[in-house]
């Protein structure tokens, strides 16, 4: 019996599940088991032997945590919107640019991911500080009399987070734009549509899968960001990951931190499911129109 036939027989006995088993076992070891420990810890307040949902109830009723969670969602929304406003035109430029300009733009977009988060944030402190580059230039130009509050607020955090997460929106949108057949846009132009009409009714709808994927990725990543709000927001911008870190490092309340982490994970799962359904619906509508 040849090795080829032997391999086919082995694959027939194992099937796809046999090939997936090692990866699934590793995934269970590094994700599902820690998640199970986290869930178990969350229902044992202060190490009590009996099960309780007190930690989950505290999330919604302690008068502080839920408002911080809402602030975290709002921050994620602002960052996602900012990335979309700046990222979509950049992705559109990269699609229409030549190879050299496209490579330069891609390098600029990806470069923040190759830089230490501490270095990035310290650089923004020098740029946006009271005596930083922006305020200095504005005062020298006579546009302001006093320094603008560009740091230790939501604006500063949005700038710092957008700087690094912009790439996670530009790349999916750029990929989606590249997948658009130029002949479709040319056909719309030949029928008398203006460039803006072609962009609004052809380019944007066909690029929506990339927009949804990139926006979801940026939103989810921002929900879990920790270090940038600490540095750029100081004690004036508090997010849920900062609360959970304080519960573990200062108050040693592992059970409450675990419950808050489960709530955050559940919310992110809901966002992911909604995003996936929206993408499938758009793809189905595109299939019906084609």
């Amino acid at each position: 019996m040849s090795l080829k036939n032997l391999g086919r027989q082995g694959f027939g006995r194992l099937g796809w599940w046999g090939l997936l088993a090692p990866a699934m076992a590793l995934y269970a070891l590094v994700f599902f088991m820690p998640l199970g420990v986290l869930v178990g810890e969350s229902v044992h307040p202060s190490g009590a032997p009996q099960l309780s949902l007190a930690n989950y109830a505290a999330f919604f009723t302690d008068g502080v945590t839920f408002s911080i969670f809402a602030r975290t969602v709002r921050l994620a929304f602002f960052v996602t919107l900012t990335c979309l406003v700046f990222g979509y035109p950049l992705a559109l430029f990269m699609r229409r640019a030549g190879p050299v300009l496209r490579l330069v733009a891609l390098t600029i977009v990806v470069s923040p991911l190759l830089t230490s988060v501490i270095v990035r944030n310290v650089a923004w402190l020098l740029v946006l500080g009271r005596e930083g580059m922006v305020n200095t230039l504005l005062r020298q130009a006579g546009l302001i009399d006093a320094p603008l509050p560009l740091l230790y607020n939501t604006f500063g955090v949005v700038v710092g987070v957008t700087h690094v997460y912009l790439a996670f929106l530009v790349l999916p949108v750029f990929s989606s734009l590249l997948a658009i057949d130029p002949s479709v846009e040319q056909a719309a132009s030949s029928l008398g549509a203006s460039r803006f009409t072609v962009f609004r009714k052809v380019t944007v709808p066909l690029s929506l899968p990339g927009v949804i994927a990139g926006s979801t990725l940026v939103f989810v990543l921002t929900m879990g960001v920790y270090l940038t709000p600490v540095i750029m927001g100081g004690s004036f911008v508090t997010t849920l990951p900062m609360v959970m870190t304080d519960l573990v490092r200062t108050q040693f309340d592992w059970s409450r931190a675990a419950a808050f982490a489960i709530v955050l994970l559940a919310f992110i799962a809901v966002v992911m499911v909604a995003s996936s359904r929206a993408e499938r619906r758009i793809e189905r509508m595109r299939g019906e129109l084609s």
Side-chain angles (χ1 to χ4, degrees), residues 87 90 94 101-117 120 162-172 174:
L90 180 56
M94 291 170 59
L101 283 179
R102 181 179 296 178
L103 180 60
V104 172
L106 186 62
T107 302
I108 294 174
V109 170
V110 177
S111 59
L113 300 176
L114 308 178
T115 309
S116 168
V117 61
R120 288 197 310 267
T162 300
H163 177 219
V164 62
Y165 287 166
L166 183 65
F168 293 101
L169 187 133
V170 171
L171 296 181
F174 174 60

Side-chain angles (χ1 to χ4, degrees), residues 63-84:
V64 176
T65 307
F66 186 76
S67 62
I68 293 176
F69 170 74
R71 188 182 307 157
T72 306
V73 174
R74 183 180 63 182
L75 174 65
F77 174 79
F78 286 157
V79 171
T80 304
L81 183 61
T82 305
C83 286
L84 187 59

Side-chain angles (χ1 to χ4, degrees), residues 21-34:
M24 295 300 295
L26 179 62
Y27 198 73
L29 180 65
V30 301
F31 181 76
F32 287 112
M33 287 183 61

Side-chain angles (χ1 to χ4, degrees), residues 58-77 154 157 219 222-226 229-230 234-247 251 256 260 263-264 267:
F59 182 91
F60 298 97
T61 60
D62 64 6
V64 176
T65 307
F66 186 76
S67 62
I68 293 176
F69 170 74
R71 188 182 307 157
T72 306
V73 174
R74 183 180 63 182
L75 174 65
F77 174 79
T154 302
V157 176
F219 185 88
T222 306
M223 287 295 298
V225 70
Y226 169 73
V230 170
S235 59
F236 300 97
V237 179
T238 305
T239 62
L240 190 59
M242 296 168 64
V243 173
M244 293 187 293
T245 302
D246 181 72
L247 286 172
Q251 304 181 36
R256 180 165 293 195
F260 291 178
V263 173
L264 180 61
F267 176 78

Side-chain angles (χ1 to χ4, degrees), residues 181-193 198 202:
D181 189 352
S183 62
V184 178
E185 297 170 314
Q186 293 171 4
S189 298
S190 65
L191 292 175
V198 173
V202 178

